[in-house]
Amino acid sequence: MSAPDIPESATGAGNVAGRHDRDPASPQSQCIDMAWDTSALGTDLQYDPCADASWESILHRLVEEDNPSKPDISARSATEPLLDFEIGSQLSTQALLDMLPPTHCCGYLITLYFGRLSPLFHILHGPTFQRQFYEFLKAPSRVDLSWLALLFSVCSIAAHTLEEDDPILMEWWREVPRTRRNGIADSASRFRAAAMICLSQDNFLYQHRMSTLEALLVLIYTINHYEGVERGWTLLGIACNIGIALKCNVMESSTALQAGLNCIDMERRRRCWAGILMLQTYQAMSYRDVDMSFLLNLPATMPADVNDSDISEIAIRPPSSRPTQMSVMMFKIRLFRLSSRILGRASGLLDEATLTALDLEIATEQEQWRSVFLSDGLPSVLDTSSYAYWCILQLHAHQLYLILHRPFCQSRNSLHFRPDSFRRCLSSGTALLDLHEQFLKLPRLRQYRWYVFGMTSLAAVHGAMALASCLLEGMNLNHDSINYHSIFDSGVLRIQSLQDRSQICFKSMPILLHLLSRLSRGTQLKNIDDDNFGHIFDDWVDRAQWLNPERVDWEFWNNMLHTTKA
């Protein structure tokens, strides 16, 4: 699809939105004014946390008497759709525009999105979005609501990457008293709520275009990372069906020509289908009883592994031998497909041949990442982002190694014990803690520090648990145990320092601190002998859903450790 239908001659380029054409007495306007005090998008945003009740009214239907203009379904013509779905009140376009941050902040968040986030989930064509944004600035009041939903979605996920001391954020909040600031996460969630209101008012369930699908996919990706995988499940089903309706899965060149689409339109559809596959596979990994493999088997053309600048309306350049903006996403799709196969086999003990074959497949993927993102096996000093992408892929790989090998290193007295698996759990557990530390401390990864508060911390906790299990089993038998102890101790303290910004770190602390105490000082809790604790702990680690933080049963340890202390 091309840019939103916005006339070139429209005025208003100075500010994204003003309030001069909105009725200040309307209930909708009052709701917005109470929550966001901004006279124009070119001014600073002020948030009033006391207005939560007003926001709640936005996110629910207005009762019938408050919305007398809503047509009676019995009076509709035969051509009008019967489906009437609303997530929020019917707000004016101006009221929706007033929810955006100031214009310069919008531009800054968009820059952060394409610089930090887009390569990890590259479904948007940057030049197309940029053109749409500049056209939007010319006539914001005539914006297509589905594209406005996309803008809100981009702002939401980009806001999560901000540091509290970011100069743009400080300028944004300059006139807001500190006691009235609800933080970055709150602002990001409000942008997501605004995106859903835009989609609802655009009737996205039966009226959709490419910007509808793109907005949904960015929303789902954000929700998966910051709210929990299960919260995006329903939206993902809708997005998948919209993708099929837009023929994203059958976007061959001949199909595009017949539909009057150019190469950019075709690649946008292919990228969205790749995004759907990636999100669906991730869902299947998080819910092991869900089989979405039929989507992976549907005939579909994957997007070209090229940069945005390699795509024009009339042609797509051949793939480059160097990393592109699509490289990470293509590697992720391959890795997630492998992950689905591993998780499908990991419900029971694997035979030696299968275990060796799957281990080799992970190693083969790692070697490809090494050749693409590293320079002679070392981080490039000319390109900081490529090392970040390598680290992100390594997180997934080492978690898969742990899922594969953990059942074979629980007890040295077991018939299924494999020394190689024991060593693999030690090395992968250590690698996950090391990667976590690099994202937190390494200067070259500073702009990716936001990544440490979500799934990276879950991977680090997974690594810490696996490492602790090995140390509990062989702490006096391994000549390297002192070194591993030090790695575990510093890893736990690092995770503890992130409790205020990461729910994963907060919820995992009771058991991690107990393990730290047990391993560091040889102490133990009353009423739990060492052998019994080891069996309980190993069983819990193996049952935990380490790819979905919402399905890890942290309450088990809260209850158990509290009981034993009593």
Side-chain angles (χ1 to χ4, degrees):
M1 288 291 291
S2 58
D5 184 15
I6 302 174
E8 291 286 339
S9 60
T11 60
N15 291 320
V16 173
R19 292 187 175 182
H20 58 278
D21 60 349
R22 177 160 54 88
D23 179 7
S26 69
Q28 296 94 332
S29 297
Q30 292 171 2
C31 287
I32 300 304
D33 289 340
M34 292 173 66
W36 299 98
D37 180 16
T38 171
S39 59
L41 282 175
T43 62
D44 293 325
L45 173 145
Q46 298 179 18
Y47 165 63
D48 182 359
C50 298
D52 285 347
S54 299
W55 270 94
E56 286 298 318
S57 68
I58 292 174
L59 296 175
H60 294 282
R61 297 173 183 269
L62 289 174
V63 293
E64 193 64 30
E65 56 268 30
D66 288 337
N67 195 8
S69 61
K70 188 173 180 178
D72 185 354
I73 191 171
S74 62
R76 296 184 179 185
S77 68
T79 59
E80 290 183 282
L82 294 179
L83 183 63
D84 186 15
F85 176 77
E86 295 178 9
I87 288 179
S89 316
Q90 287 295 309
L91 301 179
S92 67
T93 300
Q94 189 61 53
L96 292 169
L97 292 172
D98 288 341
M99 298 184 199
L100 284 169
T103 307
H104 68 287
C105 290
C106 254
Y108 180 62
L109 290 173
I110 291 170
T111 301
L112 292 182
Y113 174 82
F114 282 98
R116 298 180 179 180
L117 293 153
S118 182
L120 306 178
F121 189 64
H122 200 60
I123 63 166
L124 301 182
H125 182 247
T128 296
F129 185 89
Q130 178 174 259
R131 174 171 53 82
Q132 292 170 336
F133 179 65
Y134 286 139
E135 290 181 352
F136 163 65
L137 292 181
K138 296 176 184 178
S141 62
R142 304 178 71 173
V143 66
D144 178 283
L145 286 180
S146 67
W147 189 86
L148 185 58
L150 175 59
L151 178 59
F152 273 119
S153 301
V154 166
C155 288
S156 175
I157 191 169
H160 279 291
T161 72
L162 294 171
E163 296 284 347
E164 294 289 349
D165 60 349
D166 188 288
I168 298 296
L169 181 65
M170 299 302 292
E171 180 182 352
W172 181 2
W173 283 349
R174 182 178 52 205
E175 298 180 3
V176 180
R178 183 172 298 276
T179 56
R180 295 172 57 194
R181 301 174 189 171
N182 277 23
I184 293 170
D186 182 76
S187 296
S189 67
R190 294 185 184 279
F191 292 151
R192 290 197 290 280
M196 286 305 304
I197 294 173
C198 291
L199 290 173
S200 172
Q201 293 191 191
D202 197 48
N203 301 315
F204 75 110
L205 289 183
Y206 56 85
Q207 173 179 291
H208 30 257
R209 53 190 70 82
M210 279 306 298
S211 51
T212 309
L213 181 57
E214 290 168 338
L216 278 172
L217 292 179
V218 175
L219 268 176
I220 297 163
Y221 184 76
T222 309
I223 290 170
N224 284 359
H225 273 268
Y226 296 103
E227 295 185 25
V229 176
E230 74 290 341
R231 298 193 180 186
W233 182 262
T234 302
L235 288 178
L236 182 55
I238 295 172
C240 182
N241 287 327
I242 291 177
I244 293 173
L246 294 173
K247 299 184 177 180
C248 295
N249 61 314
V250 292
M251 192 42 60
E252 301 287 349
S253 299
S254 57
T255 306
L257 289 173
Q258 291 173 4
L261 303 176
N262 58 43
C263 291
I264 293 177
D265 298 329
M266 180 176 64
E267 279 300 295
R268 287 175 67 193
R269 282 164 169 76
R270 289 175 176 174
R271 288 180 176 187
C272 281
W273 186 252
I276 290 170
L277 293 182
M278 181 172 156
L279 292 172
Q280 289 281 9
T281 309
Y282 187 62
Q283 288 279 6
M285 289 161 55
S286 300
Y287 293 86
R288 299 188 189 183
D289 53 343
V290 177
D291 183 7
M292 304 300 295
S293 59
F294 73 94
L295 285 172
L296 297 174
N297 296 328
L298 287 178
T301 303
M302 288 291 100
D305 189 6
V306 297
N307 293 314
D308 287 349
S309 58
D310 296 326
I311 308 171
S312 68
E313 292 187 350
I314 60 174
I316 302 173
R317 292 179 182 174
S320 169
S321 59
R322 298 186 59 78
T324 71
Q325 291 169 303
M326 284 298 300
S327 294
V328 177
M329 189 166 176
M330 302 306 291
F331 278 128
K332 273 191 172 184
I333 291 174
R334 286 166 51 91
L335 183 63
F336 282 3
R337 285 177 170 174
L338 173 58
S339 302
S340 293
R341 290 174 33 231
I342 289 175
L343 292 170
R345 301 284 191 91
S347 56
L349 282 173
L350 301 175
D351 59 80
E352 185 77 20
T354 302
L355 177 66
T356 302
L358 291 173
D359 185 284
L360 181 60
E361 285 195 60
I362 301 174
T364 301
E365 292 294 318
Q366 287 180 297
E367 183 56 34
Q368 292 191 53
W369 308 336
R370 181 181 182 276
S371 64
V372 171
F373 295 116
L374 300 182
S375 176
D376 295 326
L378 299 173
S380 171
V381 296
L382 306 177
D383 174 20
T384 58
S385 60
S386 61
Y387 183 65
Y389 303 151
W390 179 83
C391 290
I392 289 169
L393 291 169
Q394 289 291 339
L395 287 167
H396 294 292
H398 285 292
Q399 281 199 281
L400 288 181
Y401 278 132
L402 291 181
I403 291 171
L404 266 182
H405 289 277
R406 267 286 307 158
F408 298 93
C409 59
Q410 286 191 13
S411 172
R412 290 179 179 269
N413 298 322
S414 170
L415 293 176
H416 304 293
F417 181 82
R418 294 178 75 252
D420 287 346
S421 291
F422 187 83
R423 286 189 289 270
R424 169 56 73 186
C425 287
L426 280 173
S427 62
S428 287
T430 300
L432 289 172
L433 288 172
D434 178 65
L435 289 164
H436 186 254
E437 182 177 21
Q438 290 193 57
F439 273 108
L440 192 62
K441 296 182 177 180
L442 200 64
R444 67 183 295 125
L445 296 179
R446 179 176 174 79
Q447 65 173 326
Y448 295 93
R449 187 172 296 174
W450 57 271
Y451 209 76
V452 84
F453 304 118
M455 297 304 293
T456 301
S457 282
L458 181 63
V461 172
H462 187 190
M465 298 295 185
L467 184 56
S469 177
C470 291
L471 293 175
L472 286 170
E473 176 61 33
M475 55 189 300
N476 297 319
L477 302 176
N478 192 307
H479 67 279
D480 290 329
S481 62
I482 296 177
N483 182 41
Y484 287 123
H485 272 284
S486 175
I487 292 170
F488 176 81
D489 293 353
S490 59
V492 171
L493 295 178
R494 191 166 54 250
I495 292 169
Q496 185 180 27
S497 71
L498 300 176
Q499 288 185 92
D500 291 341
R501 291 200 64 177
S502 171
Q503 278 294 304
I504 294 167
C505 295
F506 175 78
K507 292 178 180 179
S508 65
M509 284 319 300
I511 179 58
L512 283 176
L513 289 176
H514 171 63
L515 292 169
L516 181 66
S517 175
R518 182 179 288 268
L519 290 170
S520 298
R521 297 186 295 275
T523 59
Q524 50 189 315
L525 295 181
K526 294 185 297 182
N527 302 325
I528 303 182
D529 60 55
D530 287 335
D531 290 338
N532 188 37
F533 175 82
H535 289 309
I536 293 172
F537 178 68
D538 282 339
D539 182 62
W540 181 84
V541 170
D542 287 339
R543 286 187 294 102
Q545 301 279 340
W546 288 110
L547 301 177
N548 184 352
E550 295 300 318
R551 302 196 76 182
V552 178
D553 185 12
W554 302 113
E555 280 301 311
F556 174 84
W557 291 110
N558 290 337
N559 296 332
M560 184 174 187
L561 297 178
H562 177 75
T563 300
T564 56
K565 286 179 180 178

